[in-house]
Amino acid sequence: MTKRTREVALADGRIVHLTAGEIRALRRYVRMNGEHGSGPEGYQYDPGNVSPATVRNLIEKGIFEMTPAGVPRFARGVLSK
């Protein structure tokens, strides 16, 4: 059985397929940290209740990128231009 996904258009023009869990995770990250993240580095601190597998999937899809410190953040241009 395949997972149901939605097409989501990103600010950088890409269209990605996200599961409902990935969409909820993104909303939690934005709600906790804002679109631009915390501090000058733009870190997106874990809001809780987001599985590491979901974060890994978002990194693989290019929505998150991992900083050298091991903290995920939104990739440049994903949420705003």
Side-chain angles (χ1 to χ4, degrees):
M1 177 165 44
T2 61
K3 292 182 181 181
R4 292 181 56 191
T5 62
R6 286 186 172 174
E7 286 187 351
V8 176
L10 303 176
D12 61 4
R14 290 185 298 140
I15 295 179
V16 294
H17 293 272
L18 299 176
T19 65
E22 291 168 344
I23 293 170
R24 281 193 302 272
L26 291 176
R27 287 181 180 154
R28 286 182 178 160
Y29 272 90
V30 170
R31 190 172 33 228
M32 179 175 183
N33 300 292
E35 290 184 12
H36 302 292
S38 301
E41 298 86 9
Y43 292 157
Q44 293 288 330
Y45 292 105
D46 184 8
N49 297 326
V50 176
S51 76
T54 300
V55 174
R56 188 174 53 249
N57 289 342
L58 292 171
I59 291 170
E60 289 174 4
K61 291 180 181 183
I63 295 173
F64 277 159
E65 60 187 13
M66 194 61 78
T67 64
V71 180
R73 69 173 173 204
F74 285 109
R76 301 238 187 268
V78 168
L79 295 180
S80 60
K81 293 182 179 185

